[in-house]
Each structure stands twice: as structure tokens, then as C-alpha cells.
Amino acid sequence: MKLMRTEDAVGQVLCHDITRIIKGVSKGPVFRKGHVIAPEDIPVLKSVGKEHIYIWEKDDTKYHEDEAAGILRDICMGEGMKASEPREGKIELTAEREGLLRVDVAGLNRVNGLGEMMIAARMGGLPVKPGDKLAGTRIIPLVIEKEKMERAREAAGEEPLLQILPFKKMKAGLVTTGNEVYAGLIEDTFSPVIRRKLAEYGCEVTDHVILDDSPGKITDAIRQMLDKGLDMVLCTGGMSVDPDDKTPLAIRNGTDRVVTYGAPVLPGAMFMLAYSGDGRPVVGLPGCVMYAGRTVFDQVLPWLLAGVPVTGKMLSVMGQGGLCLGCGECHYPNCGFGAAAARAFEMREG
């Protein structure tokens, strides 16, 4: 770059976008990088406060901000994403498909720790849909040494920093328990909620049974659904510590490995997760899932659908942010409750 007085820059080539901000009206470039400055441009440049201006001088040892932002884009960009054209030195990534966003937080921190460059990313461990903004990249100065961008590539590693793990369109079995429901004393209002939440991800309940609180019958139903090849089994009802609630015992007897019975999340403290021998999840859902807008089930379900093995350590760190505030207008997952799930997802390797 070369610094010049604006009135002396006629015929020179701009090396960065010139932005004009009109509060409450617009923000955008009045001239783009590469624009050749004409005499009539001088008053416009001065009107946006440019008494001096940078013009481009070719230097083979440096990258321009747009070129450098493109390198950061390539560092980040996994499958199922698209990138914007450079605008004011920035490139944005958006999702082209539905899935679970995975962010290499350690790699991201290494790159940002180099200085003079930045990648701002959406929190990982949460679901994204087509059109969702994922990240923005840019360098801080207008030009940067090529050697520094090579260091950024090395710091990021071989895999993209951002990946969208596709959701599997699972077929689920639903075991509704409770003497009162089985006897017809109350209506089953739990099952429609589960069907709706699964349908949000293109999944369906293909098998459904209603049973009393006999642990043997519940265990048999779980095993039968797994033997049939269903991808996941969900059990509703009977998840508390009341003496008549036997669903946790039935899940233990019907699976090979219990991850947790209980989670530091409200709503959802009595959540249970176990796995069959071949890694299919069996989930015990507490009653809050039936009536609360967002619960631990909303936090964990995307992980299960993306095939992420859920660990006890992941669930144990969800306490900070694990209290849903029940806001009048729900913004989940863009809230503290979503952030709790995102932080927990980072612990999956532990």
C-alpha cells in the first residue's frame, strides 16, 4: 500500500473498499477495491472522511485483504457450505444443508491466536439449517505477509475447522409407560410431542406401544424394537424416583451400557441415556418433555441424529446455562440453554 492525499490520487487504484455508513439507513461500499479513482470521486471520498487514501502497490511478499480472507475461508469451509464474495475484506460462510455444526475449537483458537487475522464462528454442537450464517473471516490490516497466512494453514490442520454432520433420518420406537395411561384413566399427550420433535428432523415413530409399569414388559418392548432394527428407542413416563416408576430399571435391563440417569439440566433432570451393544440409543424422557418448550431432549437429540456418541462427561458439564429461562419468545438454540449444549459438545472427546 501507499498512502496518498485524496486529491492527489486521481488515476490510482483503490486497494480496499471504501465504506459509507448512514445511521439507520445503510452501510456499504461507495467504491470497491480495484476502482480507478476519477476526478469526480474526490468530493465523494472526502464526504466519507477520507482526506488520505491507500492505493495499491504490487508486492509479491504480501496478500491483499480479499486474498487473505479467501485463505481463511478455505481453512474453515467444510462440505455443505457456501461462501460469499469478498465484501469490505470479509467473507461469510453459510449452511447449504441441515445438520449438526462441528467446530474445531482448538484449531480456531490457534489461528485467531496468530494475530492480524480473525475467524468468528457460530457455536458448534447445535443444529443448523440451510441459509444459517456459520462464520466470517478477514484479516485486520489491509495487507498481510504471505508467510503469516502459511502459518495460519499450519495452525488449522488438514481438516476444515467447520463441518456440518448430516442428520440420519432415523426410525424410532416409542414405549409409553404408566398404569394410568395403560388403563385409559388419562389421555396419552406425551406421544404427539415426541412425534412432532422427531418430525422436525425428518424422523418418524414407526413402532409404538403403551404399557403399564411392569419393568419386565418394558424391557421386552425395548429389546423387541432393537431386534426389529429400529435406530432409536424412546421411553416416556415412569422416570422419577417414585416407587411405582420402573422405567429406569427396565432401560438398564434392556441395554448394554448406561451413560447417565440424571442430567444437570432444568427442565430435564431425570433424563436417562443408554446404548445397545451395537451403539443404538435408548432414551428415558422425563415428564417435562411433554409440556416444556425446550428441555434436555432438545439439546441431546441433534447429537443422537448426527451419530455422535454421547458421553457422561458431555452431560455432566451442562449445568452452566442448563437452566432454561422459559422466555416469552423462545430463541433456542441462540441462548444460554443452547450455549450449554455447545460447551458440552466440545467435551465429547473426553
Side-chain angles (χ1 to χ4, degrees):
M1 295 181 297
K2 181 179 179 180
L3 181 67
M4 298 187 69
R5 290 186 350 138
T6 299
E7 54 262 41
D8 297 333
V10 174
Q12 300 293 335
V13 179
L14 280 174
C15 68
H16 62 97
D17 294 347
I18 301 295
T19 301
R20 176 165 54 194
I21 302 173
I22 303 176
K23 184 177 180 181
V25 178
S26 65
K27 175 183 181 295
V30 288
F31 297 112
R32 293 283 191 182
K33 174 184 75 77
H35 175 75
V36 179
I37 300 171
E40 59 268 25
D41 298 333
I42 303 303
V44 179
L45 289 167
K46 288 195 169 186
S47 74
V48 294
K50 301 300 180 184
E51 295 294 332
H52 296 81
I53 201 162
Y54 285 114
I55 58 92
W56 180 252
E57 288 185 313
K58 183 64 175 175
D59 185 341
D60 290 335
T61 68
K62 295 182 175 66
Y63 286 119
H64 183 271
E65 61 176 351
D66 286 355
E67 297 173 300
I71 293 172
L72 295 175
R73 170 204 60 207
D74 295 341
I75 285 172
C76 291
M77 190 171 175
E79 293 184 7
M81 304 176 193
K82 64 179 179 180
S84 68
E85 292 298 319
R87 183 181 177 89
E88 300 172 329
K90 180 176 67 177
I91 295 177
E92 292 186 344
L93 298 180
T94 56
E96 285 194 305
R97 72 184 185 196
E98 185 181 40
L100 185 76
L101 180 64
R102 181 165 68 188
V103 178
D104 179 353
V105 177
L108 181 69
N109 292 342
R110 287 195 299 269
V111 174
N112 284 331
L114 294 174
E116 295 192 294
M117 64 190 74
M118 57 78 63
I119 302 168
R122 191 185 192 99
M123 296 191 83
L126 298 172
V128 295
K129 296 180 180 179
D132 283 350
K133 187 184 296 186
L134 303 179
T137 72
R138 71 175 306 158
I139 60 168
I140 306 305
L142 292 173
V143 295
I144 192 169
E145 290 80 2
K146 291 182 176 181
E147 181 270 334
K148 290 183 179 178
M149 297 312 299
E150 287 303 313
R151 288 168 57 196
R153 287 193 178 101
E154 294 173 2
E158 297 183 359
E159 296 295 323
L161 294 181
L162 275 63
Q163 298 182 43
I164 298 177
L165 307 179
F167 292 134
K168 181 179 179 180
K169 306 303 183 184
M170 287 191 176
K171 293 183 178 181
L174 180 57
V175 181
T176 301
T177 70
N179 293 329
E180 65 281 14
V181 179
Y182 182 73
L185 300 176
I186 66 170
E187 180 185 359
D188 172 23
T189 56
F190 211 143
S191 299
V193 173
I194 301 305
R195 292 180 185 273
R196 176 175 55 79
K197 288 186 179 290
L198 290 177
E200 291 178 5
Y201 295 97
C203 302
E204 62 178 330
V205 174
T206 60
D207 292 63
H208 181 206
V209 295
I210 299 177
L211 301 173
D212 60 22
D213 288 313
S214 167
K217 292 179 181 178
I218 300 170
T219 295
D220 289 343
I222 293 170
R223 288 174 175 168
Q224 289 170 11
M225 290 178 178
L226 292 173
D227 290 344
K228 193 175 180 179
L230 298 187
D231 301 302
M232 176 169 53
V233 178
L234 303 171
C235 301
T236 67
M239 289 301 302
S240 77
V241 293
D242 291 344
D244 290 330
D245 289 345
K246 303 297 185 182
T247 304
L249 173 62
I251 293 174
R252 290 183 186 276
N253 291 338
T255 58
D256 292 79
R257 179 171 61 89
V258 174
V259 174
T260 188
Y261 175 32
V265 175
L266 289 173
M270 307 307 289
F271 174 80
M272 186 171 188
L273 175 64
Y275 283 98
S276 64
D278 57 3
R280 285 174 290 167
V282 177
V283 184
L285 297 176
C288 60
V289 177
M290 177 171 48
Y291 58 82
R294 296 294 181 180
T295 70
V296 67
F297 186 46
D298 298 283
Q299 295 173 313
V300 175
L301 180 59
W303 302 342
L304 300 178
L305 299 181
V308 175
V310 180
T311 67
K313 187 173 183 179
M314 290 169 65
L315 297 168
S316 71
V317 301
M318 294 176 72
Q320 182 183 196
L323 177 65
C324 177
L325 300 180
C327 302
E329 182 181 356
C330 181
H331 297 285
Y332 183 84
N334 301 316
C335 63
F337 203 57
R343 284 193 300 271
F345 184 73
E346 293 179 28
M347 307 297 295
R348 64 191 182 280
E349 304 299 340

